[in-house]
Amino acid sequence: MTPSHPTRLSHLLRLLRSRFAGLGAAVAALLLAVTAAAPAAPAPARTAATAPEGTTVADTAAPAGSPVEANGRLKVCGTGLCNEHRRPVQLRGMSTHGLQWYARCVSPGSLDALARDWKADVLRISMYIQEGGYETDPRRFTDLVSSAIDEATERGMYAVVDWHMLTPGDPHHNLARARTFFTEIARRHAGNENLLYEIANEPSGVSWPRIKSYAEQLIPVIRRQDPHTPILIGTRAWSSLGVSESADESEIVANPVNAENIMYTFHFYAASHRDPYYAALSRAADRIPLFVTEFGTQNYAGEGADDFAAARRYLDLLDRKKISWINWNYSDDHRSGAVFKPGTCAADGPWTGTSRLKEAGKWIRDRIRTPDDFTAAGTGGRP
């Protein structure tokens, strides 16, 4: 549903306060007064504008009918995620594969399809740190992520910025790099209302206090640039809430990260992660804020046969508890977990419909396309 003009105006006022903070108080007040008195005009499609010193500032309105238009800036509330009207929301979408290998799968055509044909709410931008990723060329990968954020923004989708650390499994190994990367991304996109920061993809081989220490050192760095965006924190044992290393969610419940507006991540692969994982997820969802930033219908490597029955059981639980989820992955990798058939990205599609989708792609596209129950200003819903 298209927001009312007062809603658009409030967005514009917030933008002006941010963008003109460096001006004198009297000039800024005059700008705000003139804007408030001007007649309302139809909102343009959201585009990215460049502010001083390379900072990216989002335009005032997302495309009509889009997830961001309906919900605005998100915030953690209780154990869930809420929109700007403090109504619980559940996001559903797809993760890219590593940008160093599959950047061609993140094209204008593929993202048009994800937003309009798949009707996805969220794009997870997966930037590997090692394996030929960020550490090899920080400038290139920072710009790739920033461009992908802009593309998601133009389409009215939320964007999860995924610091995809895997090996080494201790997030402290990359802490200095993370400080540099998130400082720039948060500064460039501080005006965006569609972001979430995932600061540690899958910690492994380290204790929960060690992961907590990393988060409590990095979060203030981000908050100095962007005080509003929700931050997602990877959990122990490949973001399994510790289950893959014989622990569970109780260590997080007893010793949570000392920060506001945060969530904890959980990853599962339906053909490998059976009842102990499902039970931990179900229990934890009633105690701490969770976001499933990665899952597959295959085994833990994203390979092998699809177990759609087990995946459906998980997603039904997530729907009941209104937990957001993102599927791995929106690429044409040869593994069964990549949704497109090999060669699709090199040929730049076709992206819409199901002709180029593997079985997992057809299944997850259907699940994403089921209607959302988003509400704008307390009335209506997204078509």
Side-chain angles (χ1 to χ4, degrees):
M1 171 172 285
T2 303
S4 63
H5 289 308
T7 300
R8 290 195 184 116
L9 182 56
S10 67
H11 289 176
L12 183 56
L13 295 178
R14 289 199 300 270
L15 175 64
L16 287 170
R17 290 188 186 103
S18 171
R19 190 163 185 181
F20 294 101
L23 298 176
V27 175
L30 177 60
L31 283 167
L32 291 173
V34 169
T35 303
R46 180 185 290 267
T47 57
T50 302
E53 301 180 3
T55 301
T56 297
V57 178
D59 201 285
T60 57
S66 68
V68 175
E69 187 236 23
N71 293 293
R73 188 187 298 278
L74 304 178
K75 184 176 178 61
V76 179
C77 54
T79 58
L81 195 60
C82 288
N83 65 15
E84 66 180 11
H85 312 294
R86 297 200 58 80
R87 292 179 174 271
V89 295
Q90 180 197 40
L91 305 181
R92 300 173 300 179
M94 294 298 300
S95 176
T96 73
H97 203 325
L99 296 177
Q100 73 272 40
W101 303 308
Y102 296 101
R104 285 190 298 184
C105 300
V106 191
S107 70
S110 76
L111 295 182
D112 283 345
L114 185 62
R116 297 164 191 165
D117 181 48
W118 291 52
K119 301 186 185 302
D121 310 315
V122 58
L123 172 72
R124 182 185 189 229
I125 303 164
S126 180
M127 185 190 71
Y128 281 64
I129 315 311
Q130 282 74 43
E131 302 181 58
Y134 176 84
E135 67 176 5
T136 67
D137 191 344
R139 175 78 278 126
R140 174 183 173 233
F141 283 97
T142 301
D143 289 343
L144 274 175
V145 170
S146 185
S147 294
I149 292 170
D150 289 343
E151 295 285 353
T153 302
E154 289 178 9
R155 291 158 179 81
M157 290 190 293
Y158 290 93
V160 171
V161 179
D162 168 28
W163 183 251
H164 204 84
M165 46 82 47
L166 283 170
T167 304
D170 184 351
H172 281 267
H173 179 81
N174 296 304
L175 178 57
R177 297 183 184 98
R179 284 182 173 132
T180 299
F181 171 79
F182 280 107
T183 294
E184 178 168 346
I185 288 294
R187 185 180 69 245
R188 288 171 70 167
H189 296 277
N192 285 59
E193 296 189 342
N194 66 321
L195 293 186
L196 301 98
Y197 302 125
E198 184 177 0
I199 62 173
N201 166 57
E202 289 186 350
S204 63
V206 291
S207 68
W208 170 245
R210 180 77 171 163
I211 300 167
K212 178 177 181 285
S213 167
Y214 164 83
E216 290 178 348
Q217 292 181 64
L218 182 57
I219 288 172
V221 173
I222 297 172
R223 290 289 181 238
R224 281 196 287 272
Q225 307 297 327
D226 178 356
H228 304 298
T229 293
I231 293 176
L232 313 177
I233 301 163
T235 59
R236 184 177 168 191
W238 298 277
S239 287
S240 70
L241 293 170
V243 179
S244 289
E245 292 174 355
S246 302
D248 61 27
E249 77 285 353
S250 61
E251 60 186 10
I252 302 173
V253 174
N255 188 22
V257 170
N258 184 24
E260 300 295 326
N261 205 22
I262 62 170
M263 306 186 88
Y264 303 94
T265 67
F266 182 80
H267 293 178
F268 71 88
Y269 283 82
S272 294
H273 299 140
R274 300 298 189 172
D275 285 351
Y277 295 83
Y278 180 93
L281 169 63
S282 183
R283 292 191 307 265
D286 297 329
R287 307 288 301 278
I288 56 178
L290 292 178
F291 195 127
V292 174
T293 53
E294 184 178 315
F295 82 92
T297 57
Q298 312 78 28
N299 67 20
Y300 64 87
E303 300 175 337
D306 294 293
D307 190 336
F308 293 134
R312 184 176 296 109
R313 181 182 181 225
Y314 267 109
L315 293 193
D316 288 348
L317 173 69
L318 300 181
D319 288 352
R320 289 195 303 272
K321 294 182 179 285
K322 223 168 181 60
I323 298 171
S324 297
W325 52 258
I326 298 173
N327 180 254
W328 181 268
N329 68 75
Y330 201 65
S331 84
D332 63 354
D333 180 52
H334 70 276
R335 296 171 181 84
S336 54
V339 297
F340 292 108
K341 295 175 182 177
T344 302
C345 298
D348 196 25
W351 302 110
T352 59
T354 60
S355 66
R356 296 298 301 171
L357 295 180
K358 299 173 189 170
E359 290 307 307
K362 296 175 186 177
W363 189 87
I364 196 63
R365 174 179 175 271
D366 283 346
R367 190 80 187 211
I368 291 174
R369 281 167 59 90
T370 57
D372 289 316
D373 63 354
F374 292 157
T375 57
T379 61
R382 178 184 164 207

